Amino acid sequence: GAVVSQHPSWVICKSGTSVKIECRSLDFQATTMFWYRQFPKQSLMLMATSNEGSKATYEQGVEKDKFLINHASLTLSTLTVTSAHPEDSSFYICSARLQPRGQVSQPQHFGDGTRLSIL
Amino acid sequence: KQEVTQIPAALSVPEGENLVLNCSFTDSAIYNLQWFRQDPGKGLTSLLLIQSSQREQTSGRLNASLDKSSGRSTLYIAASQPGDSATYLCAVETSGSRLTFGEGTQLTVNP
């Protein structure tokens, strides 16, 4: 089945540091990748949609200068949390999707997530 | 704005029991509905995807139904096992490939 790898799985760093998270589709080409954020005991909230070769589309309330997304190839998207602060501590999850086959939408395949802790 | 609600929030059952998880959504203009499983501290594993034109999907002991007009879906788990313990999330896809998630049902299957 489709595999999405996310790295690192856990990051602890000081306030003010910038942190980069990678999301790779290992055995398929993903024209679209998604970044989600999940707080404890809560569901996933979509942060942005990333299409290869174009700028990401951010959801309302998500600061694009804070959360930089790059989708340079069909198998890699990165999320950089710039000048991270304790309130940015969360579980970040990416997903990737195959191109739709005609009218049939394809499922999103999720990475294992990155737990970010800012001290 | 699409809203997804899952009931119950938590469920604890003895091993072997059949169970039903419920999901409802407010806007019936969806492309598909997916059920996911999330283990603690992990990402999501896709269980079943039901296209908007379909009524149900089955995979092993899992059966998911979709009634788009009433905005409801159920996930039926037969003969539950302790390994089924996890949080189950449903999500609907709307325009722009946007997935809206429910808050999940935390399932515990006791040996």
Side-chain angles (χ1 to χ4, degrees), chain B residues 2-99:
Chain B
Q2 179 74 266
E3 292 183 2
V4 179
T5 304
Q6 289 187 245
I7 295 173
L11 182 63
S12 182
V13 300
E15 182 176 4
E17 211 167 271
N18 302 324
L19 57 101
V20 175
L21 308 181
N22 297 289
C23 173
S24 61
F25 47 96
T26 54
D27 185 350
S28 62
I30 64 170
Y31 291 109
N32 60 58
L33 181 145
Q34 267 187 275
W35 282 94
F36 296 89
R37 169 187 173 135
Q38 186 176 30
D39 292 291
K42 296 288 188 180
L44 276 64
T45 300
S46 179
L47 299 174
L48 291 164
L49 180 149
I50 311 177
Q51 303 287 351
S52 62
S53 58
Q54 297 175 325
R55 298 282 293 185
E56 67 175 343
Q57 283 286 336
T58 298
S59 175
R61 295 183 292 110
L62 305 179
N63 176 278
S65 68
L66 173 64
D67 184 342
K68 200 173 82 159
S69 60
S70 67
R72 294 177 191 275
S73 175
T74 61
L75 178 66
Y76 175 83
I77 302 177
S80 59
Q81 303 171 357
D84 294 332
S85 298
T87 296
Y88 290 81
L89 296 164
C90 85
V92 294
E93 181 176 341
T94 53
S95 62
S97 303
R98 195 169 279 105
L99 277 183

Side-chain angles (χ1 to χ4, degrees), chain A residues 34 36 38 41 43-44 46 59 91 93 97 104-108 110-112 115, chain B residues 32 34 36 38 41-44 46 49 51 89 93 97-99 101-103 106:
Chain A
F34 305 86
Y36 296 86
Q38 186 179 33
K41 304 288 187 184
S43 194
L44 280 75
L46 179 65
E59 294 299 299
F91 193 55
I93 308 177
R97 181 148 89 170
V104 178
S105 55
Q106 300 297 311
Q108 292 184 25
F110 286 78
D112 272 348
R115 185 159 302 283
Chain B
N32 60 58
Q34 267 187 275
F36 296 89
Q38 186 176 30
K42 296 288 188 180
L44 276 64
S46 179
L49 180 149
Q51 303 287 351
L89 296 164
E93 181 176 341
S97 303
R98 195 169 279 105
L99 277 183
F101 285 84
E103 295 207 343
Q106 187 172 349

Side-chain angles (χ1 to χ4, degrees), chain A residues 53-66:
Chain A
S54 63
K55 290 184 179 180
T57 302
Y58 290 81
E59 294 299 299
Q60 193 171 8
V62 178
E63 299 175 58
K64 60 182 179 182
D65 294 331
K66 174 76 169 175

Side-chain angles (χ1 to χ4, degrees), chain A residues 68-88:
Chain A
L68 300 179
I69 292 172
N70 183 277
H71 191 163
S73 76
L74 285 172
T75 59
L76 174 65
S77 176
T78 60
L79 167 67
T80 301
V81 183
T82 61
S83 187
H85 289 95
E87 59 266 29
D88 299 322

